[in-house]
Coordinates of all heavy atoms in Angstrom, one line a residue:
K1 N 50.9 15.9 -82.0 CA 52.3 15.5 -81.7 C 52.7 15.9 -80.2 O 53.4 15.2 -79.6 CB 53.2 16.0 -82.7 CG 53.1 15.4 -84.1 CD 53.7 14.0 -84.1 CE 53.6 13.5 -85.5 NZ 53.9 12.1 -85.6
S2 N 52.2 17.0 -79.8 CA 52.5 17.5 -78.5 C 52.0 16.6 -77.3 O 52.6 16.7 -76.2 CB 51.9 18.9 -78.2 OG 50.5 18.9 -78.3
L3 N 51.1 15.7 -77.7 CA 50.6 14.8 -76.7 C 51.1 13.4 -76.9 O 50.6 12.4 -76.4 CB 49.0 14.8 -76.7 CG 48.4 16.1 -76.3 CD1 46.8 16.0 -76.4 CD2 48.8 16.5 -74.9
A4 N 52.1 13.3 -77.8 CA 52.5 11.9 -78.2 C 54.0 11.7 -78.0 O 54.6 10.8 -78.6 CB 52.2 11.7 -79.7
S5 N 54.6 12.5 -77.1 CA 56.0 12.3 -76.8 C 56.2 11.4 -75.6 O 55.2 11.2 -74.9 CB 56.7 13.7 -76.6 OG 56.3 14.2 -75.3
G6 N 57.4 11.0 -75.4 CA 57.7 10.1 -74.3 C 57.4 10.7 -72.9 O 57.2 10.0 -71.9
N7 N 57.4 12.0 -72.8 CA 57.2 12.7 -71.5 C 55.9 13.4 -71.4 O 55.7 14.2 -70.5 CB 58.4 13.6 -71.2 CG 58.6 14.7 -72.3 OD1 57.8 14.8 -73.2 ND2 59.6 15.5 -72.2
S8 N 55.0 13.1 -72.4 CA 53.6 13.7 -72.3 C 52.8 12.9 -71.3 O 52.7 11.6 -71.5 CB 52.9 13.6 -73.6 OG 53.6 14.4 -74.6
P9 N 52.2 13.5 -70.3 CA 51.4 12.7 -69.3 C 50.2 12.2 -70.0 O 49.5 12.9 -70.8 CB 51.0 13.8 -68.3 CG 52.0 14.9 -68.4 CD 52.4 14.9 -69.9
E10 N 49.9 10.9 -69.8 CA 48.8 10.3 -70.5 C 47.4 10.9 -70.1 O 46.5 11.0 -71.0 CB 48.7 8.8 -70.2 CG 47.7 8.0 -71.0 CD 47.7 6.5 -70.9 OE1 48.6 6.0 -70.2 OE2 46.9 5.9 -71.6
I11 N 47.3 11.5 -69.0 CA 46.1 12.2 -68.6 C 45.7 13.3 -69.5 O 44.6 13.6 -69.8 CB 46.2 12.7 -67.1 CG1 44.8 13.3 -66.6 CG2 47.2 13.8 -67.0 CD1 43.9 12.2 -66.2
L12 N 46.7 14.0 -70.1 CA 46.5 15.0 -71.1 C 45.9 14.4 -72.4 O 45.0 15.0 -73.0 CB 47.7 15.8 -71.4 CG 48.3 16.6 -70.2 CD1 49.6 17.4 -70.7 CD2 47.3 17.5 -69.6
S13 N 46.3 13.2 -72.8 CA 45.7 12.5 -73.9 C 44.3 12.1 -73.6 O 43.4 12.2 -74.5 CB 46.6 11.3 -74.3 OG 47.8 11.8 -74.8
W14 N 44.1 11.7 -72.4 CA 42.7 11.4 -71.9 C 41.8 12.6 -72.0 O 40.7 12.5 -72.6 CB 42.7 10.9 -70.5 CG 43.3 9.5 -70.3 CD1 44.0 8.8 -71.1 CD2 43.2 8.8 -69.1 NE1 44.4 7.6 -70.6 CE2 44.0 7.6 -69.3 CE3 42.7 9.0 -67.8 CZ2 44.1 6.6 -68.3 CZ3 42.8 8.0 -66.9 CH2 43.5 6.8 -67.1
K15 N 42.3 13.7 -71.5 CA 41.5 15.0 -71.6 C 41.2 15.4 -73.1 O 40.1 15.8 -73.4 CB 42.2 16.1 -70.9 CG 42.1 15.9 -69.4 CD 42.9 17.1 -68.7 CE 42.8 16.9 -67.2 NZ 43.5 18.0 -66.5
H16 N 42.2 15.2 -73.9 CA 42.0 15.5 -75.3 C 40.9 14.6 -75.9 O 40.1 15.1 -76.7 CB 43.4 15.3 -76.1 CG 43.3 15.5 -77.5 ND1 43.1 14.5 -78.4 CD2 43.3 16.6 -78.3 CE1 43.0 14.9 -79.7 NE2 43.1 16.3 -79.6
A17 N 40.9 13.3 -75.6 CA 39.9 12.4 -76.1 C 38.5 12.8 -75.6 O 37.6 12.7 -76.4 CB 40.3 11.0 -75.7
I18 N 38.4 13.1 -74.4 CA 37.1 13.5 -73.8 C 36.6 14.7 -74.5 O 35.4 14.8 -74.9 CB 37.2 13.6 -72.3 CG1 37.5 12.3 -71.6 CG2 36.0 14.3 -71.7 CD1 37.9 12.4 -70.1
N19 N 37.5 15.7 -74.7 CA 37.1 16.9 -75.3 C 36.7 16.7 -76.8 O 35.8 17.3 -77.3 CB 38.1 18.0 -75.2 CG 38.2 18.6 -73.8 OD1 37.3 18.6 -73.1 ND2 39.4 19.0 -73.4
F20 N 37.4 15.8 -77.4 CA 37.0 15.4 -78.8 C 35.6 14.9 -78.9 O 34.8 15.3 -79.8 CB 38.0 14.3 -79.3 CG 37.7 13.8 -80.7 CD1 38.2 14.4 -81.8 CD2 37.0 12.7 -80.8 CE1 38.0 13.9 -83.1 CE2 36.7 12.2 -82.1 CZ 37.2 12.8 -83.2
L21 N 35.2 14.0 -78.0 CA 33.8 13.5 -77.9 C 32.8 14.6 -77.6 O 31.8 14.7 -78.2 CB 33.7 12.3 -77.0 CG 33.9 10.9 -77.7 CD1 35.3 10.8 -78.2 CD2 33.6 9.8 -76.7
K22 N 33.2 15.4 -76.6 CA 32.3 16.5 -76.2 C 32.0 17.4 -77.4 O 30.9 17.9 -77.6 CB 32.9 17.3 -75.1 CG 32.7 16.7 -73.7 CD 33.2 17.7 -72.6 CE 33.1 17.1 -71.3 NZ 33.6 18.0 -70.2
D23 N 33.1 17.8 -78.2 CA 32.9 18.6 -79.3 C 32.0 18.0 -80.4 O 31.4 18.7 -81.2 CB 34.3 18.9 -80.0 CG 35.1 19.8 -79.1 OD1 34.6 20.5 -78.2 OD2 36.4 19.9 -79.4
K24 N 31.9 16.7 -80.4 CA 31.0 16.0 -81.3 C 29.6 15.7 -80.7 O 28.9 15.0 -81.3 CB 31.7 14.7 -81.8 CG 32.9 15.0 -82.6 CD 33.3 13.8 -83.5 CE 34.4 14.1 -84.4 NZ 34.1 15.1 -85.4
D25 N 29.5 16.2 -79.5 CA 28.2 16.0 -78.7 C 27.9 14.5 -78.5 O 26.8 14.1 -78.6 CB 27.0 16.7 -79.5 CG 25.9 17.0 -78.5 OD1 26.2 17.3 -77.3 OD2 24.7 17.0 -78.9
I26 N 29.0 13.8 -78.2 CA 28.9 12.4 -77.8 C 29.1 12.3 -76.3 O 30.1 12.6 -75.8 CB 30.0 11.5 -78.5 CG1 29.9 11.7 -80.1 CG2 30.0 10.1 -78.1 CD1 31.0 11.0 -80.9
N27 N 28.0 11.8 -75.7 CA 28.0 11.7 -74.2 C 28.2 10.2 -73.8 O 27.9 9.3 -74.5 CB 26.7 12.2 -73.7 CG 26.4 13.6 -74.1 OD1 27.3 14.5 -73.8 ND2 25.3 13.9 -74.7
F28 N 28.8 10.1 -72.6 CA 29.0 8.8 -72.0 C 29.2 9.0 -70.5 O 29.5 10.1 -70.0 CB 30.2 8.1 -72.6 CG 31.5 8.8 -72.5 CD1 32.4 8.5 -71.4 CD2 31.9 9.8 -73.3 CE1 33.6 9.1 -71.3 CE2 33.1 10.5 -73.2 CZ 33.9 10.2 -72.2
R29 N 29.0 7.9 -69.8 CA 29.2 8.0 -68.3 C 30.5 7.3 -67.8 O 31.0 7.7 -66.8 CB 28.0 7.3 -67.6 CG 26.7 8.1 -67.8 CD 25.6 7.5 -67.0 NE 26.0 7.1 -65.7 CZ 25.6 7.7 -64.6 NH1 24.7 8.7 -64.6 NH2 26.0 7.3 -63.4
I30 N 30.9 6.3 -68.6 CA 32.1 5.5 -68.1 C 33.2 5.6 -69.2 O 32.9 5.3 -70.4 CB 31.7 4.1 -67.8 CG1 30.7 4.1 -66.6 CG2 32.9 3.3 -67.4 CD1 30.2 2.7 -66.3
F31 N 34.4 6.0 -68.8 CA 35.6 6.0 -69.6 C 36.4 4.8 -69.3 O 36.8 4.6 -68.1 CB 36.3 7.3 -69.2 CG 37.7 7.5 -69.8 CD1 37.8 8.4 -70.8 CD2 38.8 6.8 -69.4 CE1 39.1 8.7 -71.4 CE2 40.0 7.0 -69.9 CZ 40.2 8.0 -70.9
V32 N 36.7 4.0 -70.3 CA 37.6 2.9 -70.1 C 38.8 3.0 -71.0 O 38.6 3.2 -72.2 CB 36.8 1.5 -70.4 CG1 37.8 0.3 -70.3 CG2 35.6 1.3 -69.5
S33 N 40.0 2.9 -70.4 CA 41.2 2.9 -71.2 C 41.8 1.5 -71.2 O 42.0 0.9 -70.2 CB 42.2 3.9 -70.6 OG 43.4 3.8 -71.2
L34 N 42.0 1.0 -72.4 CA 42.6 -0.3 -72.6 C 44.0 -0.2 -73.2 O 44.1 0.0 -74.4 CB 41.7 -1.2 -73.5 CG 40.4 -1.6 -73.0 CD1 39.7 -2.5 -74.0 CD2 40.4 -2.3 -71.7
P35 N 45.0 -0.3 -72.4 CA 46.4 -0.3 -72.9 C 46.7 -1.4 -73.9 O 46.2 -2.5 -73.8 CB 47.3 -0.4 -71.7 CG 46.4 0.0 -70.6 CD 45.0 -0.5 -70.9
T36 N 47.4 -1.1 -74.9 CA 47.8 -2.1 -75.9 C 48.7 -3.1 -75.4 O 48.8 -4.2 -75.9 CB 48.4 -1.5 -77.2 OG1 49.6 -0.8 -76.8 CG2 47.5 -0.5 -77.9

C-alpha cells in the first residue's frame, strides 16, 4: 500500500518489481513498462 498512493513515485514501484524478480532469481536484460 505504501507504493500505491497518489503521491508514491512510480520509480519506487519499478524498483519493488525488479527486486521481486531478483528474489525469485528471475533474470532479464530489458524492462518494459506498459501503462494501462
Side-chain angles (χ1 to χ4, degrees):
K1 291 284 184 193
S2 62
L3 298 178
S5 72
N7 58 6
S8 299
E10 189 169 358
I11 188 79
L12 297 181
S13 295
W14 289 11
K15 287 179 180 182
H16 176 263
I18 290 167
N19 288 330
F20 176 87
L21 268 63
K22 279 185 181 177
D23 289 347
K24 296 198 173 294
D25 206 27
I26 299 172
N27 299 307
F28 61 97
R29 291 184 45 109
I30 297 176
F31 172 106
V32 175
S33 175
L34 294 183
T36 59

